[in-house]
Structure formats: C-alpha cells, structure tokens
Amino acid sequence: MSFVFQPPAPPAVAVVGRTERFPVHRIYCVGRNYAAHAREMGKDPEREAPFFFTKPADAIVENGARIPFPSRTSDLHHEIELVVAIGTGGANIGISQAMSHVFGYAVGLDLTRRDLQAEAKDKGRPWDTAKGFDRSAPITAITPAGDVKLDDSRIWLKVNGALRQQGAIADMIWNVAEIVAELSTLFELAPGDLIYTGTPAGVAAIKSNDALEGGVDGLETLKVTLA
C-alpha cells in the first residue's frame, strides 16, 4: 500500500517487564466517577449513570515528559486517574466476563482546559477542545493485570510536592468491570483501547513549570512537568 505522505508511527505505551509496546486504538474517559469529585463539580453522584468522552489516541504522553503548556487556556486542571488497558475486544460484554478483557493497568492524567470546558457546558457544546487537545493524556507504563491487585489501592497526586488529590480505587461509583461492560454497549471495544476511569476530589489549576507526581498503589508513579 502506498500513501501520499509517510504516516506517523502508531501511538503506543510501554509495558512493564516487556520489550513489546501496547498499541493504542482509542482513548475513552469516564466522567465524574468518584462521588466527592462529582460533588465538587456541582453534581449529584447518586442520580447520574456514567457518561463517556474521548481523547485522540495520539494525545498520550510518555512518563517523565516535559509538556508544553497548552494554548488558549488560563485554567488548566489536573485529574489523576486509573487507566484500564483493553486486551480483548467485544461488544455487549457482561459484567461477569468484563475482567477477562482487561490486559492491564496504568496511571494517567486527564489534563483539562477547564475554562473551555465551562464555556462548552454553558453553550451546550461538545468538550473536544477542553479534553481532547494535544498531549492531554500522560500515562505510565502498563502493568499486566495478573501482576497487580488494586482493590484496596490508594490514588493520589502531588503538585510541586504538595498533596492535591487523594482517594481510593474502591471509591469509584462504577468499578472496572461495570465500566467495561457499560462502555461495550456504546462502542465495540478493541484491543488497544485505553479507559481513563475518573478522578477523585481535589482537581485544581496548574501553571507553567509545575511538577506533577501521581500514582496508584501497585503501579508505576507518573511524573510530568509543564514547560
């Protein structure tokens, strides 16, 4: 097959303990999946089913990177998240079978241009410019699912050494199996899909030269700096 120009290399994420990389197909994100975060955003977590939005696959950023501060925003926010990597695809997956589709887990950041998101919400417009911009999805290497147990894991984020976000994976309103099952009723999941599963309370603005460090117990620690 020939192309009018050389296509870019496919986005891919490192895998702990392996030389092979995880090729990224799509990035899905879950909105307001921690009760405390839903409340800080002015919503009632008891009445809302999960909803999803997407980022482009090439929004991923390697762990340890220095990221240019995004354009067109004066209110960039951090959102630390557990990321689920899908290894086996499918549609209408049952909750009891959902975990068998999970290849592994990583730690990710859902960077958000909050001012653009607020404007989009106010005008009833899509969130693409607020969520799906360049380099908006930093991520660690993926730890294979069989190498880690996350039931009691803590999730946290520090900015310049100061703790900003802290919670527990068990605090998620919809757990991993439920997220995979629900998402598969809306999209046919494929190997290479990443699911950012939501963030705990404490989201706040970050600025140029801030150093971010976050993690989920049992997974690699994510470190990025804003240029």
Side-chain angles (χ1 to χ4, degrees):
M1 181 182 297
S2 61
F3 301 94
V4 296
F5 57 85
Q6 185 63 30
V13 180
V15 178
V16 174
R18 301 192 185 184
T19 57
E20 302 95 341
R21 295 174 67 83
F22 183 89
V24 179
H25 177 246
R26 292 177 179 170
I27 299 176
Y28 300 100
C29 304
V30 185
R32 294 194 290 263
N33 196 33
Y34 288 77
H37 174 58
R39 293 189 186 98
E40 76 177 353
M41 299 301 289
K43 303 297 180 180
D44 182 353
E46 302 303 324
R47 291 187 293 171
E48 288 194 340
F51 66 93
F52 303 93
F53 57 92
T54 62
K55 293 176 181 275
D58 63 1
I60 59 170
V61 177
E62 290 280 342
N63 197 5
R66 190 170 175 85
I67 307 171
F69 194 89
S71 63
R72 297 287 296 272
T73 183
S74 58
D75 194 20
L76 180 69
H77 280 210
H78 56 72
E79 298 190 10
I80 191 71
E81 313 210 357
L82 171 68
V83 182
V84 176
I86 297 296
T88 305
N92 298 307
I93 299 167
I95 291 176
S96 61
Q97 289 80 44
M99 299 307 290
S100 67
H101 292 258
V102 175
F103 171 81
Y105 303 97
V107 179
L109 272 172
D110 168 19
L111 294 176
T112 303
R113 295 194 278 205
R114 192 71 74 198
D115 43 0
L116 299 189
Q117 185 187 36
E119 181 182 3
K121 287 180 178 179
D122 183 60
K123 296 181 178 179
R125 294 175 177 173
W127 291 6
D128 299 64
T129 58
K131 291 288 193 176
F133 55 93
D134 298 336
R135 296 175 290 273
S136 61
I139 189 171
T140 65
I142 298 167
T143 298
D147 296 344
V148 64
K149 293 188 180 297
L150 300 175
D151 295 345
D152 300 319
S153 291
R154 183 178 63 111
I155 181 171
W156 56 274
L157 176 80
K158 295 179 180 179
V159 178
N160 301 324
L163 188 65
R164 287 274 191 94
Q165 290 185 265
Q166 183 170 225
I169 297 303
D171 293 339
M172 290 197 299
I173 298 170
W174 290 67
N175 64 32
V176 171
E178 292 168 332
I179 290 168
V180 172
E182 177 71 8
L183 185 60
S184 75
T185 68
L186 297 167
F187 302 92
E188 182 175 353
L189 299 183
D193 287 341
L194 297 175
I195 307 172
Y196 282 57
T197 60
T199 195
V203 300
I206 46 180
K207 60 185 185 301
S208 294
N209 297 316
D210 278 350
L212 283 68
E213 179 180 1
V216 173
D217 295 343
L219 303 178
E220 277 195 355
T221 299
L222 179 64
K223 296 180 180 181
V224 294
T225 304
L226 291 173

